[in-house]
Amino acid sequence: NYNQNFGDLRVFGGGMITHTTNEVIDRAEPDDVPEWRKQEGKPMDSRVVYLQEGIFKDQAQIDNTPHITGVTIPGDPIYKDVDDDGRITANDRVRLYESNTPRTQFSFNMGAEYKGLELSLFFQGQTNASVAYSGIGLMTPYIFERRWTPENINASYPRSGASNEPSDAYTKDATFLRFKNFTLAYNLPKKWLSDLKISDAQVYLQGRNLMTWDKIKEFDMDPEGGDGVTAYPLTRVFTVGANISF
């Protein structure tokens, strides 16, 4: 923490950071679990996903590439054949040792006071976390405009209604920094208040959830909202008020 006076000016600030780790010490896993999907000796929180390598442009590409039998059409994701058996099966899913539970969280505040005027700011954030966008047919405008269509075979995202299998393509870094709160206040001089029999009076403007810097804007998700797209988004709130003591 920091707190220093420079004449009538007081400047203050502080911060904190936490980091946690964990490990699965013992787990009775089936003998046929591939090495790339085991949990023992790894962090507790994890996801099992396919590794996406692109998007099928046409039927000819499907015919010459390992794919999920019977359900794959142009515009669907291309998944990596991890076990190299020429097919895409459950054994090709890998475990990503991360989740929406952050391993590192941090926050810091700063502010100043000068002759009755006060300003304080508070920021918070996290890293070493991820979120998964899920829900077949669900598309934000950003994704919809960049989806595969017969006219856009070099698209960045699969067709509407494509395979809903969990994949790393929809698992995103949930690192963020949020401008959480600010308060701007003014303490009225006591000489203005004495005739009104008021001992203290303060007027203030407060803001909450003002801005978030993250890496998942295209999914229109809050990095703290967990997996999926159903979490109610944070609202930006402004409050004007007064504190009066008699």
Side-chain angles (χ1 to χ4, degrees):
N1 291 320
Y2 177 81
N3 190 355
Q4 187 67 46
N5 291 310
F6 301 92
D8 292 331
L9 175 66
R10 182 173 81 92
V11 178
F12 60 89
M16 61 164 288
I17 184 169
T18 62
H19 181 75
T20 61
T21 59
N22 61 72
E23 180 182 338
V24 177
I25 302 300
D26 181 70
R27 186 177 181 90
E29 299 182 88
D31 294 337
D32 60 351
V33 172
E35 184 64 34
W36 54 84
R37 211 163 66 237
K38 289 186 176 180
Q39 290 182 281
E40 188 172 311
K42 306 294 184 179
M44 292 172 56
D45 299 323
S46 59
R47 308 176 188 278
V48 177
V49 302
Y50 287 102
L51 301 180
Q52 186 172 316
E53 297 187 309
I55 300 169
F56 284 113
K57 297 181 179 181
D58 50 40
Q59 187 61 46
Q61 187 179 19
I62 295 173
D63 294 340
N64 290 281
T65 307
H67 58 275
I68 299 176
T69 304
V71 298
T72 302
I73 64 175
D76 280 349
I78 301 173
Y79 297 130
K80 183 176 181 179
D81 184 11
V82 176
D83 61 6
D84 200 28
D85 67 351
R87 301 177 300 152
I88 300 300
T89 66
N91 276 346
D92 294 309
R93 296 179 298 175
V94 303
R95 190 174 293 278
L96 302 181
Y97 299 100
E98 58 187 25
S99 74
N100 54 32
T101 302
R103 296 180 190 170
T104 305
Q105 296 177 292
F106 56 88
S107 65
F108 58 92
N109 69 290
M110 63 186 73
E113 297 179 4
Y114 181 73
K115 294 185 176 181
L117 186 65
E118 302 177 10
L119 174 66
S120 62
L121 312 175
F122 178 70
F123 297 81
Q124 68 173 139
Q126 67 180 31
T127 188
N128 294 316
S130 66
V131 290
Y133 181 92
S134 62
I136 189 165
L138 295 177
M139 289 187 171
T140 64
Y142 181 95
I143 296 174
F144 183 80
E145 293 168 0
R146 293 163 177 79
R147 75 193 188 287
W148 183 96
T149 66
E151 297 76 32
N152 182 27
I153 63 173
N154 295 311
S156 302
Y157 293 94
R159 65 181 176 84
S160 178
S163 168
N164 194 37
E165 298 290 345
S167 78
D168 63 331
Y170 289 97
T171 302
K172 297 296 184 179
D173 185 351
T175 296
F176 75 89
L177 172 65
R178 174 170 289 138
F179 186 6
K180 186 68 176 180
N181 294 314
F182 94 93
T183 300
L184 178 63
Y186 181 65
N187 299 291
L188 276 65
K190 292 186 180 295
K191 63 183 180 180
W192 294 3
L193 307 174
S194 57
D195 292 342
L196 301 174
K197 302 186 182 302
I198 297 175
S199 60
D200 295 289
Q202 181 192 70
V203 293
Y204 62 85
L205 170 66
Q206 291 181 333
R208 184 177 178 84
N209 299 323
L210 300 170
M211 185 175 294
T212 301
W213 295 271
D214 61 42
K215 301 179 180 181
I216 53 175
K217 295 300 183 187
E218 67 268 36
F219 294 121
D220 198 22
M221 295 171 61
D222 184 87
E224 287 187 295
D227 294 345
V229 293
T230 58
Y232 193 83
L234 288 177
T235 55
R236 185 180 294 114
V237 179
F238 292 95
T239 304
V240 177
N243 295 316
I244 300 175
S245 300
F246 294 93

